[in-house]
Amino acid sequence: MVGAGKEDPELNLLVGRPDPRVGRRSLLQVAGLLAAAGAAGYAGGTVAGWGDEDPSGATGAGAAQPISGNRRNERLLNVYHWSDYIDDRTIPLFQAQANIRVNYDVYSSNDDLLARMKAGPTDYDIIVPTNNFVPTFMKLDLIEPLRQDLIPNLTNLDREFVETDYDPGNRYTVPWQWGTTGIGFNRRRAGDGLDSWAAVFEPSAATAGRITLLREANDLIACALIYLGKSANSTEDADLGQVVRFVRSIKPKLKGFSSDTYIDELAANEVLVAQGWSGDVFQAQDQNPDVSYAIPTEGSIRFVDVMAIPKGAPHPANAARFMNYVLHPKVQARISKYVSYGTPVSLAKPLLPAEQTTDPAIYPPASTKLSIVTLTGQKLDKWQAAYRQIVQ
Ligand code: N2P
């Protein structure tokens, strides 16, 4: 679907040929990237062509001055983000423009992120939980309010991403991208037009052993509940018990559980059917045109992944500058075009290929059955317990 076109000279200024996408194995080595970008030693001033990318002036101007509002006086930003969720230009360009060095680590499930943040303080300045985890992060006092005065581009956000139940008015969070959970499948080897959760939960002879389910409690439990005809938000012990027994019974026919490797495995024909996230499957499709994505007719879930600042982070002002940069329509378009997830900034849509903005698998119509899963303390514990019984 969205194959060519990762290289857009308009959107990709300044740096040369990129590294591969920032996947699960990558840790962005800033020095290397800056050297590759020819930007090492950049110390402020204006980078030609960049004025239009940051009209607010929150970055760029005065880039060599100390930045107030950080707990550590360093031009550094430590980002902890999902794997395979950013293009290869945004970080080098932000570094060059803001003169802020970025360290970039990746995780591939909310369970991993939460466990890491609960384990004690880290040096991270930005983390990106999914919307339904935000109440838990707040309750555990793991995130702090944003310096909204440093994020004037918040006004670019579409209303539905401002008027939310998890963080009305974006006091703590700024949306990154949004998407759906569905089925990634190989049309030639698994069959054309798969559109039911049965494709993953009732393995066929052709696909047995080459199916993966998401390694993420939220998505695995919610979609199994939907397939079994229960509420996507159920906390009933009987429902969860049924989910555990059912998914355990099909385990011998699965390849396993993955929330990152399945992209490359779909692309390499090693996995033929995967429960997966929309943009991830499109990234596999970019490499293998036999791969398709479908939102099952039984219904599925929709999510928004949001940037937040861990409580006591060393560089909250730098984090706010990065958030402001990401909210610029051109930057949103560059990220969204590359990762094939939905943008929360409609102003970016005219800059995106029409085949993306008109694709109902990326921007589903209101008629598509999609639940928003909410997770609060007890529910999260129950779902994670059920998930552990399934995977162990
Ligand atoms: C990106 C994963 C999207 C996150 N690889 C799903 N919440």
Side-chain angles (χ1 to χ4, degrees), residues 133-172:
F133 275 74
V134 169
T136 301
F137 276 87
M138 284 195 192
K139 185 149 185 252
L140 297 175
D141 211 14
L142 290 173
I143 54 179
E144 64 179 39
L146 306 173
R147 283 280 307 274
Q148 286 193 331
D149 57 312
L150 295 176
I151 318 178
N153 286 341
L154 277 171
T155 54
N156 290 346
L157 279 172
D158 295 355
R159 253 174 109 105
E160 66 171 300
F161 298 97
V162 178
E163 294 166 4
T164 63
D165 58 351
Y166 57 89
D167 181 26
N170 304 99
R171 290 185 52 239
Y172 287 83

Side-chain angles (χ1 to χ4, degrees), residues 82-85 110 130 259 263 277 280 283 303 305 341:
W82 292 86
S83 55
D84 302 301
Y85 216 7
N110 279 298
T130 301
S259 50
I263 301 178
W277 292 308
D280 287 12
Q283 290 171 50
F303 58 82
D305 296 310
Y341 280 96

